[in-house]
Amino acid sequence: MEGLSISDQGLYLDATVGGGGHSALILERFPHTSVIALDQDAQALQAAEVRLQEYGDRIQFWHGNFASYDPGELRFAGILADLGVSSAQLDHPERGFSFRHEAPLDMRMDQNQALSAAEIVNTYPEQALADIFYQYGEERFSRRIARKIVAKRPIQTTTALARW
């Protein structure tokens, strides 16, 4: 919170509200501040709405990816983006993010998206998989992993993917 340098009269954008923890701290500590909260995960956004309902019109919610958000003429005093998978997504096996539980291979932040991890793992060419693992996961064994995945297709569950 100290690194955000929040002004008590400002409008802030929480680009990845998740469960609402950061927004709650901002709104609690600064009673004249407002927040616009975004998330592409409808379940996370719903949880944030419940958690933050006490702040009334000081907080507004928008469902979607922050890259698609158009603030129009709004000017923000600060923007917060806590990027990555949330613990709530990992804790619900049906979301298909965690390798701790056998579940359908999904990994969609936005459940309305058509493209799932299962489709990527089972249809993308080996080179494309290797590039994804290397570029986004900084995985130095990306080519070896991609080769094994392609050889073991189809892969439908999180635990089956973890084995390769």
Side-chain angles (χ1 to χ4, degrees):
M1 290 297 296
E2 290 75 29
L4 294 177
S5 300
I6 296 173
S7 162
D8 196 21
Q9 300 293 321
L11 172 62
Y12 291 84
L13 177 68
D14 187 342
T16 54
V17 71
H22 291 108
S23 287
L25 287 172
I26 292 168
L27 293 165
E28 178 183 317
R29 290 187 188 177
F30 302 95
H32 303 290
T33 297
S34 297
V35 173
I36 295 179
L38 318 179
D39 210 297
Q40 65 180 332
D41 183 335
Q43 291 175 344
L45 194 62
Q46 185 177 29
E49 288 177 2
V50 169
R51 179 176 187 176
L52 301 169
Q53 66 185 349
E54 69 182 275
Y55 298 104
D57 62 358
R58 291 180 52 215
I59 185 155
Q60 297 174 27
F61 298 94
W62 186 81
H63 178 238
N65 187 300
F66 59 82
S68 301
Y69 178 69
D70 180 4
E73 298 296 317
L74 294 176
R75 295 294 173 248
F76 298 103
I79 298 173
L80 168 68
D82 185 4
L83 305 174
V85 180
S86 72
S87 60
Q89 290 163 331
L90 293 172
D91 291 342
H92 291 93
E94 69 276 4
R95 295 298 302 271
F97 281 100
S98 175
F99 299 125
R100 291 181 290 163
H101 310 283
E102 182 152 359
L105 188 57
D106 190 337
M107 298 186 183
R108 291 176 295 162
M109 293 275 185
D110 181 348
Q111 297 284 270
N112 294 321
Q113 283 184 317
L115 185 62
S116 69
E119 184 174 342
I120 292 169
V121 165
N122 290 301
T123 65
Y124 279 29
E126 182 179 320
Q127 183 63 47
L129 291 174
D131 290 347
I132 289 169
F133 300 149
Y134 184 77
Q135 291 173 3
Y136 298 105
E138 300 176 6
E139 177 55 61
R140 65 184 189 141
F141 298 113
S142 63
R143 294 190 196 297
R144 185 181 319 168
I145 293 167
R147 188 173 15 233
K148 287 187 176 202
I149 287 172
V150 169
K152 298 296 182 178
R153 287 178 177 169
I155 298 171
Q156 300 300 329
T157 66
T158 55
T159 53
L161 179 61
R163 285 193 291 269
W164 314 117

